[in-house]
Amino acid sequence: MKKVPLPHRVLTVLVLGAALAGAGCSNDRIVFVYPDEAFDFRYQEEEPPALYVDAVTDMRPPEQREGQGHFFTITYPKDEAWEAPATRIYAEALAQDLEQTSLFALVPLRGQAEYVLSADLLSLGCRLERSPLSFLLTGAVGAGLGMALGDDASHRAKLASVLAVVGMLTIPVPTTNAAEAEVRLTLKDATGNLVWEATCLGQYEAKKAVTPTARQDQQLVNEHLTRAVKRANACLMGQLRQFLVEKGS
């Protein structure tokens, strides 16, 4: 039986390992773990007005719904990657912030409410970007190591080519992840008249070293997208409070 050269065996193991890792991650659904932050926005001593939270309408662009890119620029999570629909994810985050700010008393039935709040989800997602130059650098590191470890010119050339690929696939490279959430809220009174409307954009951007074969979508959503939603909601809660203060004055 012909012995397979070491460089080729290393590359085969690496490629198979990356494929198996990718297949394992592809079945994991992303959960939106929204942090608790209790800010008391109470503006009066008496009980806050009763609020019914109505529908959240999905108005996100197609690239967020379907996802885009595979390597240098990736828009994620796509709809099928979420554990629950994006509208439900945002509705739960909105209800949590409304309750924890004490702006309103949430009620389960529309007929019990003094106000009805609806939302248009304009944006909810992340954009991950890697520079092609970073892969040239990691490939050069691997190639240099191969040239140093090879026994002769032929062996060094083969080992350099294999370790260049290994370097590009396994060495973490600087990655920029930008998270964005944009929402329009509409408030109506019990008779259906529009009394308030506002749109807020929440953004959060950070850099992180990530290997090309790793998909850390859950971690990046936890660290970045939740903050973008929190910022959008903080903007909206602040404007809602101002409306209630002015209305009560």
Side-chain angles (χ1 to χ4, degrees):
M1 179 176 176
K2 186 178 180 180
K3 186 178 180 180
V4 180
L6 177 61
H8 294 85
R9 284 190 282 135
V10 171
L11 182 57
T12 301
V13 171
L14 176 70
V15 172
L16 287 175
L20 289 172
C25 292
S26 64
N27 293 325
D28 295 335
R29 295 302 182 101
I30 295 175
V31 180
F32 195 72
V33 185
Y34 198 54
D36 288 328
E37 287 189 56
F39 292 107
D40 193 345
F41 276 22
R42 195 184 305 273
Y43 61 96
Q44 58 184 11
E45 291 298 327
E46 56 264 29
E47 188 72 16
L51 178 74
Y52 175 76
V53 179
D54 201 1
V56 176
T57 303
D58 195 346
M59 300 181 68
R60 293 172 300 145
E63 57 267 24
Q64 285 189 358
R65 295 170 181 255
E66 301 165 7
Q68 281 189 343
H70 297 285
F71 209 74
F72 295 118
T73 302
I74 304 171
T75 300
Y76 71 96
K78 57 186 176 181
D79 280 358
E80 61 187 49
W82 283 112
E83 182 200 33
T87 50
R88 180 177 142 197
I89 287 169
Y90 178 72
E92 292 175 353
L94 175 62
Q96 178 177 314
D97 282 338
L98 285 167
E99 186 173 25
Q100 292 181 349
T101 53
S102 302
L103 275 174
F104 296 94
L106 302 186
V107 294
L109 300 176
R110 192 185 190 108
Q112 300 172 323
E114 185 178 342
Y115 292 104
V116 176
L117 186 71
S118 58
D120 294 326
L121 186 60
L122 306 177
S123 178
L124 182 71
C126 297
R127 183 179 177 87
L128 185 145
E129 294 183 345
R130 301 182 176 106
S131 169
L133 179 60
S134 61
F135 293 100
L136 293 178
L137 294 176
T138 54
V141 170
L145 183 61
M147 293 297 291
L149 296 177
D151 297 329
D152 52 39
S154 175
H155 184 233
R156 283 195 295 269
K158 292 178 181 178
L159 194 57
S161 64
V162 171
L163 292 186
V165 176
V166 172
M168 287 188 287
L169 292 178
T170 61
I171 298 176
V173 298
T175 302
T176 299
N177 190 60
E180 178 180 286
E182 186 174 13
V183 181
R184 177 170 56 240
L185 292 185
T186 301
L187 188 70
K188 295 181 180 181
D189 61 20
T191 61
N193 294 318
L194 177 66
V195 295
W196 175 87
E197 184 178 80
T199 301
C200 281
L201 172 65
Q203 295 176 307
Y204 186 85
E205 182 175 306
K207 294 186 182 296
K208 190 178 183 70
V210 180
T211 61
T213 55
R215 288 302 301 269
Q216 300 178 353
D217 295 6
Q218 179 67 70
Q219 181 182 354
L220 294 174
V221 165
N222 289 348
E223 295 177 359
H224 303 159
L225 188 55
T226 56
R227 296 189 186 188
V229 173
K230 188 66 73 174
R231 289 179 175 181
N233 280 356
C235 169
L236 292 165
M237 297 302 107
Q239 294 189 54
L240 256 177
R241 184 182 188 279
Q242 184 63 31
F243 161 76
L244 293 171
V245 169
E246 292 176 355
K247 183 179 181 302
S249 61

